[in-house]
Structure formats: C-alpha cells, structure tokens
Amino acid sequence: MSRTAEPVVVIVPGLRDHVEEHWQTLLANRLTEAGRAVRTVPPLTQDQLSRGARVAALDTVVKEIAGPVVLVAHSAGVITAVHWSERHAGQVRGALLVTPPDFEKPLPEGYPTPEVLDENGWTPVPRAPLPFPSIVAASSNDPLGSVERVTELARNWGGRLVELGEVGHLNPASGHGPWPRAEELLRELEQS
C-alpha cells in the first residue's frame, strides 16, 4: 500500500475516554511519530454515557476526513463503532475491534448496569454483518465480556476473531500499557 493510499487511523476510545498510558493513546502517538495520519474521537463534555452522543462524536471525526479511514476501537468504543456503522461506513476500509464488552449482561461493580446502558441506547448491541472488514480481538479472561460472547459477536459482525490469551480487558487496570500487536493487526487489516 503506498503512503498516499494509507487510510487515516481513527481511534475510538471506550467509556473512560483518554488514558495516557492506554495502548490506544500510545498507538496514536507511535503512528503519528511515524508520519501516519491519526485522529482520536474527543472525550465528551456532556452526555458522557449517551450512545447517541458517542456515535455522533465518531461521525463528526469521520466526516472531517476526506479519504479512507480505518477504525481502532476498544471496549465501549467497539460498540460505538458498530452502532455507527449501521448508518455510515462508506469510507471505512476496516476496523480493529478490541475486547468489546458484553453490555447485555451485568458488568463488574463500578460499571453501568444493564438497565442504565439500555436507557442510554447501548442495547441491544447490533448483530448484523459490518459493511467493512474487521478483526475482533478477544481476551480469555476479560471481566467485561467472555470469550464466548466476543466470539459470537465476531461471527455476527463477519469479523476475523483473534484470541489474545489472558490479557484481562487489555487496559492499564489489567496491567497493560503498550500493545505492539495492535500495529501488526492494523497492518493485516489494511492489507486485507
């Protein structure tokens, strides 16, 4: 793929938005330093739990990009991207969807309840095939979504499942910062 054909990488964070030591933030920094165009969906200042507001924020970022994009989503960012793709997707070449949570079952203490998630438009989670290629990365010990549920979602979305092993929710709280495999999976996605 030539440099001019490289899509803009759009980072879609989860509900906790931007965390400096999170692999998405570190990936965005590495790609930018390497000369890649990267945009990150900005944190919400109001309606922070609203699925509609998060989908609108993603749509605003993508509409500002003239050429192709590839989405890199984590956690609730995956669910945001999937909801967004129901109405938009023309310029998306692919999506790396990492450790999607299971919003249809109770999450651990400290996270929104299924009722609150439903009230804010997160459920039901879309199950239709995505209109672009995707790689769905699953953890075997994610407290927010079982590997069985993520496997089911990957199948529904038409994505290629990549099992990561025991990486928790692949975030700083589970002991993860840099995640070099993200760049490898991103390259694979862009070459598909």
Side-chain angles (χ1 to χ4, degrees):
M1 178 178 296
S2 72
R3 291 295 286 170
T4 58
E6 280 186 333
V8 175
V9 176
V10 175
I11 304 289
V12 188
L15 293 179
R16 303 215 191 273
D17 283 315
H18 306 280
V19 177
E20 286 303 314
E21 61 275 8
H22 195 284
W23 68 265
Q24 281 183 305
T25 306
L26 300 170
L27 173 67
N29 293 341
R30 279 193 311 278
L31 292 175
T32 300
E33 289 169 5
R36 286 292 302 262
V38 179
R39 292 287 313 276
T40 300
V41 176
L44 296 178
T45 56
Q46 56 187 3
D47 297 327
Q48 294 176 331
L49 198 53
S50 167
R51 189 262 312 162
R54 288 186 180 270
V55 167
L58 171 57
D59 193 46
T60 297
V61 169
V62 173
K63 282 181 176 175
E64 292 172 352
I65 300 168
V69 303
V70 63
L71 306 175
V72 177
H74 175 256
S75 191
V78 172
I79 309 305
T80 299
V82 172
H83 276 287
W84 175 84
S85 75
E86 290 185 306
R87 293 200 175 96
H88 317 281
Q91 68 200 76
V92 176
R93 283 202 186 157
L96 175 58
L97 307 173
V98 182
T99 61
D102 185 353
F103 277 171
E104 295 168 350
K105 293 189 177 177
L107 299 172
E109 189 174 329
Y111 290 90
T113 64
E115 295 78 21
V116 168
L117 290 166
D118 186 56
E119 289 167 9
N120 283 279
W122 291 97
T123 56
V125 172
R127 296 293 202 281
L130 297 176
F132 42 76
S134 64
I135 294 174
V136 181
S139 167
S140 61
N141 66 338
D142 188 343
L144 303 186
S146 70
V147 71
E148 293 81 14
R149 178 55 68 108
V150 175
T151 299
E152 175 187 325
L153 290 172
R155 188 177 323 109
N156 293 154
W157 297 334
R160 179 169 70 86
L161 180 70
V162 173
E163 294 189 32
L164 304 176
E166 294 184 359
V167 296
H169 195 53
L170 198 65
N171 60 4
S174 61
H176 297 276
W179 184 44
R181 188 147 184 219
E183 291 179 72
E184 172 191 324
L185 293 173
L186 185 58
R187 279 190 300 274
E188 286 179 30
L189 186 62
E190 291 177 330
Q191 293 169 359
S192 62

